Amino acid sequence: MIDSRIQRPPSRGMRRERLDVLLSQILDRRLTVVTAPAGSGKSTALAHFCDATEATVAWYTVDTFDARREVFLACLQAALERVLDGPDTGTWTTHDDVIRALETAPDREIVIVIDDLHTISGQPAESLLGELVAGLPSHVHMAIASRREPHFDTSRWQLSGEVREITSNDLRFRTWEAEELLDTTYGLLLRPDDVARLTRRVDGWAAGFQLFHLAVRDKPPPEQRRLIDSASSRSTLARRYLARNVLAGLTEELRHFLLHSSILGVLDGGLADAFLERSGSAAVLDDLDELGLFVIRLDETTFRYHEVLRSHLEAELATQTTEFELHERFVRAGDLLDGAGHPGEALRCYARAGRWDDVSRLAGRASGERFGGTHGWLDTLTGPQIDTDPWIALALARAELAAGRFHRARDHFATAESLSNDPGLGVECRRERLALESFLDPIATDPDGWLGTLRRGLRSDPVGAAAQLGASNTPQGSVAAGILHLLTGRLHEAAASFDGALLHEQLPDWAIHAGRLGRQATRLLDGPPDAGATIAVIDRLVGSLESAWLARFARAMLAITMVADGDAEAARVADRCHEEGDPWGAAFARLCAGVAADDDRTASDHFAAALEIAERHQTLALVAAAHAGLAQAGGSPAGEHREYADRLMRRLGLRGTFVDLVRTLRPQHDRSAPDHDAAVSIRCLGDFAVGRPGEEADLKALRPRARAVLQRLALESGRVVHRDRLVADLWTDQDEGAAVRSLQVCISSIRRALDDAGSPIRIEHADGGYVLDDPSGGRCDLVELESALRAAESASSVTELVAAADEALRRFGGELLPGVGAVDWVVGERERLRLAVARAACVAATAALPTDVAAAIDLADRGLEVDRFDDALWRLAIDAHAARGDSGAVERLRRSYDAALRELGVEPSPVGTS
């Protein structure tokens, strides 16, 4: 029995890169807790992690028989001894025995997975586990899967950042993941809108998709689509699963409470007490939450039942009560929910009771309650009233507009307008329809209101429109201003706008999610030290805005961070935007696909597609970005693409195109690089690499923090970097003890990656720090560059000076560690090297000009590629071309020089020749 529970289960089902990113952080934390109801995919996700990791993994599936400390220790010892080679430590009787055995284990990363911890919840064995976690050595990590939170205290580790919590929301399938699951894993051919509807019906529950597949796999596609609406309530398999795995073992009181309160959908203690005519409901809800059932806590006091559980309970209740009794309960629930400020849930209850006057009354108000597509309460509306009530049609139109499904929104606005007998309502529907049509028409004038200002910003004046939207003091204006600031490369202003969206009083849910999502996207573009954590937060927020246009924006950005197939993922987002009538989203997603592409031809195709859409809709900021992308991908003619992009940047006041901005999100820059010196084995200039040309180590498996440690050591290759310096530079968000442990883990993972690649490069511990070196004689490109710069400074003749400057320019393969971003420990050195190389070129060109005009031109032109704002180099280049008599080149240079000055806010003045 023990042997079967200490074997790692086979990894089945679809891998999800989003979860892989979350779970990869297990090796950065002392403890990872995966908490979710039955059937959410906890064990599957951890099994996928085990397959992917290089760490040694011990797996132990706990059972109710393991509640005693001695039994738990015996099973844990069997699990660890199965995978570890070490001396015999005897029988373990205390947690100290476990710690000693782990401390003497081989020096490599170890992960202990404890599955089904809820089976010993509150028992002595669970307390023992808490003691064990407290004493884990730095190279050992614990991952727990449970239906409820552990009872032992984790707060002290949470405060120090040593705990990673993965919840049911993380495990929940997003619509795009469900599309891939149903297509590639289950072979079901459903339309995208059917997949979205099924995902809502099962609330992203992993088991829900499997149960649906089992129920419909032998049925034709029309029957499969028809059965979607019963996926969460009338499926025999689903009801049997819930009865056996969720409701079994509950007390009669808890079962009664769940059954009779399920009608509410959203509830707190007060609502439940009033509806059930009882007291003490708040305590019962807390108990249900702690039991790890399908109860989702919305805030400190408010909960909602998982859609699958609610539908099951509602169907069960219908078999136990008369139709009249059920009707009266829905009416009463609607009245209570309406009074408590939950119009969407109240509308659902009124619709279920057939109270269409109340549905119509609430529809307009509820449509503004949330930002998303026609999910939630709109899915519950059935019957002829859908096509005959103007308020319901208006609610549908506003929801579709918020989701970025513009064509559907326009049709619903027209329907609402035609149905309305109220002149005021008809005027409002017409106004909103015309505003949307103007927004979509490339040649129409800008509509009134924030939508028109946003359109003006997308087309011709992003800076001015962003300022106007920000001054509107509305959530819509703040979010739209943040988007425009992002497109213009103004990250600080974008962050302020998204923060501003969160400061309005009485914020709707959509504004809260949109503001947070925009803020995290801005943070990601700004190069946070822990990009993986930021990506995880963005993904959670995308889930809460799953069908909204802003979520598609974020999904396309996240595709760039994928190690593989990111361009295909972004292209799918573009296709979805096109289907839903969102041309701006389609153009933006195509830009992201171009950045994510692994080869220049594919990238050029995506950028060309983005350019065609952006030009058709006269979206100049995206036109500039597409031209910049084509220039970088080698699109012909590359120079003209770059020049056009620069001209638009100046006209629009852009600080950079969006393509330039998001390129830093790529996990690695694998485009063709220039030839490198065979003696160089550590490259920090341009694309970061470790290994001689053609023998570079594959570092894709390194997590962002470990990669940053390697890059920090490479910056001072061959010299000791003290541990305190590394901690100060890279762990600003943790206390010293946690940071040191994390540093040790990073060093270990780097060493393993280098060993696995067969690289001779080593990290040695020395003098309280670490040193990166290549014993085989390879050198760092920074060392070679510094040598060339010193030779230029000490040159005793023009010939030596020109040769040394030429060597420095050749060695300068690009910006210093561009993938690191604008972090303190690299910014100063990056600027120093750039200015030093430009100065060497300028000094050498000046010396060469009297006797060797060609050399002077070459050095000045190459120097301007390093620093295009160096005034002396511009003047020198103009003088050199004038000395050669090339008036055409002189004129082109003067125009480019004037443009550079204007970018700096300086009015050009005439430039003479010397």
Side-chain angles (χ1 to χ4, degrees), residues 584-638:
W584 299 277
F588 176 82
R590 285 291 175 187
L591 291 174
C592 293
V595 174
D598 287 332
D599 64 271
D600 288 336
R601 174 170 292 185
T602 302
S604 294
D605 289 343
H606 287 305
F607 288 133
L611 180 61
E612 191 275 329
I613 300 170
E615 287 183 334
R616 189 185 336 134
H617 290 271
Q618 302 176 25
T619 309
L620 296 187
L622 297 184
V623 170
H627 277 292
L630 285 167
Q632 293 171 8
S636 178

Side-chain angles (χ1 to χ4, degrees), residues 798 844-853 856:
V798 173
T846 301
L849 182 57
T851 57
D852 191 344
V853 174

